[in-house]
Amino acid sequence: MTTPLHPLHDGTGHLEVGDVTVPLQIAASLRARTRGLLGRSSFTGALLLTPAKSVHTLGMRIPIDIAYLDRHLRVVDLHTMKPHRIGRPRVHAHHVLEAEAGSFAQWGVAVGLQLGVNSAVSGG
């Protein structure tokens, strides 16, 4: 499993959750983080917001799973948010992972789990 030791940039890659590999979009720029999953009625895979300590679902159409990650991509908290909510910041979070509600249970994401990211950088 690969964890980034360098800053991440906007792009794509794969999220590794144990033996499960999931398509990943990385939102590292302010513009990409601001857009996030807004306006989408469905989403395949996961979106990693970096850096981020909190999220909101204002303007979203679907409920989403949220994983708050520390700087080493270890899950520090999990939450499912319905549309039109504002999440509380998590002190130890450095990244936020988002996916359609129910995805984390399917993939086995749990508090304390170490995640991996393999990224294909596409700019910064």
Side-chain angles (χ1 to χ4, degrees):
M1 193 173 301
T2 305
T3 55
L5 300 175
H6 53 81
L8 291 168
H9 300 279
D10 291 348
T12 60
H14 291 91
L15 174 70
E16 298 172 354
V17 184
D19 294 334
V20 177
T21 300
V22 178
L24 180 69
Q25 291 183 10
I26 301 167
S29 68
L30 178 59
R31 181 177 184 177
R33 288 192 319 267
T34 301
R35 181 163 190 278
L37 296 177
L38 292 175
R40 299 185 195 192
S41 55
S42 67
F43 182 71
T44 301
L47 174 69
L48 180 67
L49 305 169
T50 181
K53 290 183 177 287
S54 67
V55 295
H56 67 82
T57 57
L58 301 174
M60 287 194 174
R61 299 177 181 171
I62 57 173
I64 59 174
D65 285 342
I66 307 291
Y68 298 90
L69 311 175
D70 70 10
R71 71 179 68 241
H72 304 290
L73 302 178
R74 185 170 306 278
V75 179
V76 296
D77 198 8
L78 290 171
H79 191 64
T80 298
M81 290 179 70
K82 294 179 182 177
H84 315 296
R85 304 289 194 272
I86 297 175
R88 293 182 300 114
R90 302 311 198 266
V91 175
H92 299 291
H94 290 272
H95 315 280
V96 174
L97 186 68
E98 299 180 344
E100 275 197 44
S103 297
F104 289 172
Q106 212 174 22
W107 303 336
V109 177
V111 172
L113 184 67
Q114 176 70 51
L115 302 177
V117 168
N118 288 313
S119 63
V121 177
S122 67

